[in-house]
């Protein structure tokens, strides 16, 4: 058993290695999660930067379109150029609003976007002024507005601001790209180290478990050898106990059988003494007619002798019942069990019907509920159920209507349980075990019997591989609980019948 001593330490080691492996896995997963989060943030940043750049360039393009439409209208006075200008101006507020939303709160970009918005507003105002002059026929003045170069200055300023935004975004993307690459490299390295450590831990755990399995196998082989020896010992002891039990039963049978011979002689001579007493009594009666007979003789013949003979007869009858009970137990123990399927509901109902005249006389009823079937020895089961129902009827309480209920159900593990419950006298707590002993009875001894019925029942139940217990409260009734295997296990072969 020495190899088992290290089992707790091995368990702690393996548990520690597994815990460390789990921690490493969690760390690797955390690193991967952080990397994924950073990658997602980086992607969002790249997408947002691209959108800002696209919006700013779209804004500039729209202003150029508006400027193109303005100049075409000034040069040709054709209204289709104004439609180009108007369409471009109509798209500008939405673009400006989206650009402000994306850059809002950014200390570097927000001021430049505000500046672009101001320049855009000024540029639109210059274009609107020239267009208004051209519409009133003052084309020369409108052209002079353009020639002043104010619009070009505003557009150049806007291009400068947009270029600055592009540069800021490019710098940020470059920095974040380097950070993302560094984080990815660190994560890959952490994953590699974690995987390597997990492989090392798995190898160490496998080595420890392999050693433990080898020790377990050695211990199992030793245990098998011990079990084989124990099985041989148990088999030998069982054989010895069986043989001793058979000897005891044979001895009980022989003794009981041999006791009957002198008992029969005693009972025969008791009958002869009774006959002789009657003859003497007639002789005394005849003598009394002719002379006086001694009173002591009369008392001895007519009182003392009949009383003594009565005591002898009662004792011999009791002894005869005891010998019959012992013979019954002995024969039952030597009888071969025969297993068959028993429909317990029908079997029990037949027993209940056989005592119907007693229950009707006592104003009682026996209720047999549907019972699960059983594979066992019919004679033994009938004797068990018959004794229990007879006892229940015998010890009913005359102060209330008697009710005896027989119920049952299957139990886990291949067992079936039956209950014989009554509302009779009940049994005191101290007698719950004593009632199953030979020649022991409980309560008032106002019913015939020698205290052998329940001892016989327990012996029969145990021989069938089951057990019997009682639940009872004095004055309220008793419930006998019988537990049988669903299939009879034959003690002689150790196999199911």
């Amino acid at each position: 058993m020495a190899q088992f001593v290290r089992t707790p330490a091995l368990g702690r080691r393996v548990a520690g290695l597994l815990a460390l492996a789990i921690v490493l896995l969690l760390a690797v997963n955390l690193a991967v999660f952080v990397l994924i989060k950073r990658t997602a943030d980086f992607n969002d940043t790249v997408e947002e930067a691209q959108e800002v750049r696209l919006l700013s360039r779209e804004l500039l393009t729209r202003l150029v379109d508006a400027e193109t439409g303005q100049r075409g209208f000034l040069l040709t006075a054709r209204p289709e150029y104004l439609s180009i200008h108007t369409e471009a101006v109509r798209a500008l507020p939405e673009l400006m609003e989206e650009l402000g939303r994306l850059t809002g709160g950014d200390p570097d970009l927000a001021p430049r976007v505000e500046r672009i918005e101001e320049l855009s507003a000024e540029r639109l105002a210059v274009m609107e002024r020239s267009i208004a002059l051209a519409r009133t026929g003052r084309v020369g003045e409108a052209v002079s507005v353009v020639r002043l170069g104010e619009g070009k200055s505003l557009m150049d300023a806007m291009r400068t601001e947009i270029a600055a935004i592009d540069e800021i975004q490019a710098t940020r993307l470059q920095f974040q790209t380097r950070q993302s690459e560094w984080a990815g490299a660190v994560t890959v390295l952490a994953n590699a180290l974690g995987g390597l450590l997990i492989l090392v831990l798995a190898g160490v755990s496998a080595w420890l478990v392999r050693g433990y399995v080898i020790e377990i196998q050695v211990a199992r082989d030793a245990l098998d050898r011990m079990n084989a020896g124990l099985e041989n010992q148990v088999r030998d002891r069982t054989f010895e106990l069986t043989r001793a039990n058979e000897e005891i039963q044979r001895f009980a049978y022989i003794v009981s059988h041999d006791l009957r011979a002198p008992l029969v002689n005693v009972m025969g001579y008791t009958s002869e003494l009774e006959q002789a007493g009657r003859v003497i009594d007639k002789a005394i009666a005849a003598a009394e007619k002719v002379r006086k007979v001694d009173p002591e003789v009369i008392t001895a013949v007519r009182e003392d002798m009949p009383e003594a003979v009565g005591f002898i007869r009662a004792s011999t009858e009791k002894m005869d019942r005891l010998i019959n009970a012992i013979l019954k137990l002995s024969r039952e123990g030597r009888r071969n069990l025969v297993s068959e399927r028993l429909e317990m509901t029908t079997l029990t109902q037949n027993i209940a019907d056989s005592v119907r005249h007693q229950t009707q006389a006592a104003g009682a009823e026996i209720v047999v509920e549907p019972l699960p079937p059983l594979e066992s020895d019919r004679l033994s089961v009938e004797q068990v159920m018959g004794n229990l129902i007879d006892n229940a009827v015998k010890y009913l309480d005359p102060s209330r209507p008697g009710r005896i209920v027989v119920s049952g159900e299957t139990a886990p593990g291949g067992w079936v349980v039956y209950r014989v419950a009554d509302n009779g006298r009940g049994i005191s707590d101290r007698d719950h075990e004593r009632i199953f002993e030979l020649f022991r009875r409980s309560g008032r001894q106002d019913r015939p019997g020698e205290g052998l019925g329940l001892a016989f029942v327990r012996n029969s139940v145990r021989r069938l591989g089951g057990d019997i217990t009682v639940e009872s409260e004095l004055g309220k009734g008793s419930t006998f609980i019988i537990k049988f295997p669903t299939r009879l296990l034959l003690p002689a072969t150790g196999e199911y019948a």
Side-chain angles (χ1 to χ4, degrees):
M1 301 298 291
Q3 58 266 32
F4 288 100
V5 175
R6 301 209 307 272
T7 300
L10 175 65
R12 288 193 294 270
R13 291 174 189 171
V14 174
L17 291 173
L18 290 176
L20 183 57
I22 291 172
V23 171
L24 289 174
L25 284 174
L26 290 176
V28 170
N29 288 335
L30 181 62
V32 172
F33 174 77
V34 171
L35 177 63
I36 292 173
K37 182 68 169 59
R38 286 193 174 186
T39 302
D41 294 341
F42 176 72
N43 291 336
D44 292 341
T45 303
V46 170
E47 183 179 353
E48 184 176 332
Q50 291 296 340
E51 191 172 356
V52 169
R53 296 175 70 179
L54 290 174
L55 284 173
S56 61
R57 291 185 180 280
E58 178 70 13
L59 180 66
L60 181 62
T61 300
R62 290 294 182 177
L63 283 172
V64 170
D65 291 343
E67 189 177 61
T68 300
Q70 172 219 7
R71 289 179 179 179
F73 179 71
L74 294 179
L75 294 174
T76 63
R78 294 173 61 180
E80 55 264 27
Y81 286 100
L82 280 182
S83 64
I84 298 174
H85 172 81
T86 303
E87 183 180 355
V89 171
R90 189 182 299 116
L92 286 175
E94 184 177 352
L95 293 173
M96 190 63 66
E97 181 182 358
E98 183 66 15
L99 187 62
R101 183 186 66 79
L102 292 175
T103 58
D106 191 315
D108 296 325
L109 299 180
R112 295 188 180 278
V113 172
E114 292 177 0
R115 177 61 179 159
I116 289 173
E117 187 175 2
E118 293 173 359
L119 292 172
S120 175
E122 292 178 7
R123 181 70 184 96
L124 289 176
V126 171
M127 284 189 285
E128 290 299 329
R129 189 166 65 250
S130 64
I131 290 173
L133 291 172
R135 282 177 174 174
T136 58
R138 300 159 63 185
V139 177
E141 295 181 15
V143 172
S144 63
V145 170
V146 175
R147 289 176 177 173
L148 287 176
E150 182 180 1
K152 181 179 182 302
S153 300
L154 293 173
M155 291 296 290
D156 290 342
M158 289 182 63
R159 289 187 178 92
T160 301
E161 293 296 333
I162 291 174
I165 289 175
D166 286 345
E167 184 178 358
I168 291 172
Q169 294 288 61
T171 302
R172 287 180 176 179
L173 289 176
Q174 185 178 7
F175 175 74
Q176 290 181 354
T177 301
R178 287 197 300 269
Q179 278 193 327
S180 178
E181 291 174 351
W182 177 83
V186 171
T187 303
V188 170
L189 180 61
N191 288 340
L193 290 176
L196 180 61
L197 287 175
I198 290 172
L199 289 176
V200 172
L201 292 176
V204 174
S205 299
W207 179 74
L208 291 174
V209 171
R210 179 179 176 276
Y212 176 63
V213 168
I214 293 174
E215 293 180 356
I216 286 291
Q217 187 60 46
V218 173
R220 184 176 297 167
D221 294 339
L223 186 60
D224 289 341
R225 289 192 296 271
M226 293 174 59
N227 285 337
L230 287 174
E231 288 176 359
N232 291 332
Q233 292 182 15
V234 170
R235 190 180 300 109
D236 294 340
R237 295 289 176 84
T238 302
F239 175 75
E240 293 174 1
L241 288 173
T242 303
R243 186 171 59 183
N245 185 49
E246 291 175 352
E247 290 293 335
I248 291 172
Q249 291 177 354
R250 189 157 44 250
F251 175 76
Y253 179 78
I254 293 172
V255 170
S256 302
H257 187 272
D258 291 346
L259 284 176
R260 292 187 64 85
L263 181 62
V264 170
N265 291 335
V266 172
M267 295 174 69
Y269 285 117
T270 301
S271 298
E272 291 185 7
L273 285 175
E274 287 180 332
Q275 184 63 30
R278 286 193 288 271
V279 172
I280 294 172
D281 184 55
K282 289 180 180 179
I284 292 174
E288 285 180 330
K289 295 179 180 179
V290 297
R291 62 183 178 87
K292 183 178 181 182
V293 181
D294 187 350
E296 292 183 1
V297 174
I298 295 174
T299 301
V301 172
R302 294 180 176 174
E303 296 180 10
D304 295 341
M305 283 181 63
E307 183 179 4
V309 170
F311 281 126
I312 294 173
R313 180 174 293 280
S315 298
T316 54
E317 289 176 351
K318 181 176 182 180
M319 189 174 180
D320 183 59
R321 292 195 298 271
L322 294 177
I323 290 174
N324 286 333
I326 294 173
L327 284 173
K328 182 179 179 182
L329 286 174
S330 176
R331 293 192 187 99
E332 181 64 22
R334 291 184 291 113
R335 185 177 65 83
N336 292 329
L337 301 177
V338 179
S339 179
E340 61 177 292
R341 180 179 174 83
L342 305 177
E343 297 298 334
M344 291 298 294
T345 305
T346 304
L347 183 147
T348 307
Q349 187 62 58
N350 291 337
I351 295 173
D353 293 340
S354 68
V355 296
R356 182 174 296 171
H357 62 285
Q358 299 178 32
T359 55
Q360 289 177 347
E365 64 171 342
I366 300 178
V367 178
V368 179
E369 297 181 353
L371 304 176
L374 177 67
E375 291 188 25
S376 193
D377 182 72
R378 176 179 294 275
L379 180 58
S380 298
V381 174
E382 286 179 342
Q383 290 173 340
V384 168
M385 300 303 289
N387 271 282
L388 292 177
I389 291 176
D390 284 341
N391 273 356
V393 174
K394 185 187 297 184
Y395 294 104
L396 288 172
D397 190 339
S399 64
R400 57 175 175 265
R403 179 177 172 82
I404 302 167
V405 179
V406 183
S407 60
E409 72 273 351
T410 56
W415 295 91
V416 62
V417 177
Y418 301 106
R419 291 179 175 82
V420 180
D422 64 69
N423 62 344
R425 297 181 181 180
I427 303 168
S428 174
D429 292 342
R430 66 177 182 273
D431 292 329
H432 282 186
E433 186 62 28
R434 294 173 57 190
I435 58 174
F436 294 105
E437 298 174 4
L438 281 170
F439 312 120
R440 301 297 291 270
R441 303 176 70 190
S442 172
R444 299 192 307 273
Q445 307 301 311
D446 58 349
R447 294 289 187 274
E450 305 301 331
L452 290 170
L454 289 178
F456 175 77
V457 166
R458 170 169 281 186
N459 180 70
S460 298
V461 170
R462 287 180 173 175
R463 191 161 182 245
L464 296 176
D467 192 21
I468 181 171
T469 56
V470 63
E471 296 176 356
S472 181
E473 186 175 350
L474 197 62
K476 292 188 177 181
S478 305
T479 300
F480 286 88
I481 305 168
I482 315 104
K483 183 178 180 182
F484 288 119
T486 53
R487 296 182 63 193
L488 176 61
L489 179 65
L490 297 178
T493 61
E495 298 178 355
Y496 282 102

